[in-house]
Amino acid sequence: MLKKWIMMCVICLLAVTGTMQSVQAAGFKDMNKNTSSLYVEVEYLVGRGIISGYPDGKFKPNAPIAKKHIAAMLVRALDLPMLDLKDPKYQDVPKTHPYYKEIAAAYTAGLFSDSANFQPESSISRAFMARLMGKACNLKVQKMAEGDPGFSDVPRNSEFHTDILKVSTNHIATGYPDGTFKPNQLITRSHFAAFLTRALTTRAMNILPDPKYTYYYTDGSSTYRYEYDRKEENGLAYWRIHNETKYESIPRLGFGQNLGAYVEAFDDWFHFDQYIPHPFVITKIHSENEIGPVNYGNVWITGTNEVRTVRDVNYQDVLAIETSIPWEKQTIFEYYAKDIGLIQRVDSSGKELFGLVKRVRK
């Protein structure tokens, strides 16, 4: 039982909101959930009618995206008013332009600045997108556990330095493996979806279990009691786990959360069994092809402000994580509540695998 229980905790790294979803985003022929890194961000916008595909059934994720379309999507995503608009007086966007109202609405909201021309057919750079997301979602620079991330091609005197810090410290755009941000690179359709989805869903919140409580969980056959061990080692607060149904030797489980991540680790192992970058945003956070401390399949954050009912208790501010293990043809969903921690783990059919029964204040 112990081996089975621990492996379930490991396999279920993270989880999602609801039932198992199709492998193709909205049926797009050129995007696959397990192989397209920005699938979940595109799916989020498609599901809300903010972005769509082409008549041939493709999304064309690597195609450039025009500023006129960006303006229209921002209007939908932010529900910007379309009345009492200021005239931006762009020479290339007359009032007869098919996207005039959308562009004017974004301008009225302060997302676009005064200029002689808008260039509605052009795309925008990653740096400008960072500035746009900062304005649209009122982003703040987050303090990081190991200092502010620096990019070799974004000096401190760059006009976009603060804008890029806003998106990088919120895990909206983290740069490239070579340490660059590529600020002048033009945005593609999938990159726009990624920036916008993450900016809309960024959440800084605590999901650590509360040491003032004793937690009771069930896996359907046994009840487990979690008690804070009053010990902190290696940055983790350890909890003792007792099987109240039958005797079982279970190692302590350590929890930790700082400015950069939420983590879990059993004290008899040598790596994290759970690692979720923080602040939380909807995105893919692990790949089955990764080489690192966590390598148990494909893992996505699929919700950062969900509502979930477990045993007649209605939880708000729920973090939803999905883990797919392709070689086992298995998908698992986990839910974490603000200031509480894990509340439930289910399979793709909705069957509960592990769930919070109650918390008792000490």
Side-chain angles (χ1 to χ4, degrees), residues 321-359:
I321 312 289
E322 176 180 348
T323 299
S324 171
I325 307 96
W327 56 90
E328 293 187 3
K329 297 182 180 180
Q330 185 178 24
T331 301
I332 297 170
F333 307 96
E334 288 185 324
Y335 303 92
Y336 294 80
K338 180 181 178 181
D339 298 325
I340 294 175
L342 179 68
I343 56 172
Q344 195 175 49
R345 180 180 300 128
V346 302
D347 64 16
S348 58
S349 70
K351 178 183 177 182
E352 182 178 88
L353 303 173
F354 200 68
L356 180 63
V357 178
K358 62 181 179 179
R359 293 192 310 159

Side-chain angles (χ1 to χ4, degrees), residues 247-262:
Y247 174 75
E248 185 176 359
S249 177
I250 304 175
R252 295 182 309 164
L253 181 58
F255 299 91
Q257 183 171 337
N258 58 26
L259 298 172
Y262 166 86

Side-chain angles (χ1 to χ4, degrees), residues 282-303:
I282 288 181
T283 191
K284 186 175 186 176
I285 61 175
H286 296 299
S287 169
E288 63 175 296
N289 298 318
E290 283 184 2
I291 298 175
V294 179
N295 183 18
Y296 301 105
N298 295 320
V299 185
W300 301 267
I301 297 177
T302 58

Side-chain angles (χ1 to χ4, degrees), residues 186-200:
L186 296 182
I187 289 291
T188 64
R189 282 169 53 81
S190 60
H191 284 144
F192 170 80
F195 271 78
L196 183 57
T197 293
R198 296 170 193 169
L200 291 171

Side-chain angles (χ1 to χ4, degrees), residues 65-67 69-74 78 80 106-107 109-113 118 124-139 160 163-164 166-167 172 187 192 195-196 199:
I65 185 167
K67 285 180 71 178
H69 293 143
I70 288 174
M73 291 174 206
L74 288 172
L78 303 174
L80 296 180
Y107 172 82
L111 302 182
F112 294 113
S113 304
F118 183 75
I124 64 174
S125 68
R126 284 170 53 85
F128 187 80
M129 177 58 89
R131 175 165 294 177
L132 199 55
M133 291 301 100
K135 290 180 179 180
C137 299
N138 194 29
L139 299 175
F160 293 103
D163 303 299
I164 290 171
K166 287 179 181 180
V167 296
I172 294 167
I187 289 291
F192 170 80
F195 271 78
L196 183 57

Side-chain angles (χ1 to χ4, degrees), residues 262-275:
Y262 166 86
V263 298
E264 297 175 15
F266 286 96
D267 64 357
D268 63 341
W269 288 28
F270 300 99
H271 57 70
F272 292 132
D273 304 288
Q274 182 75 293
Y275 184 93

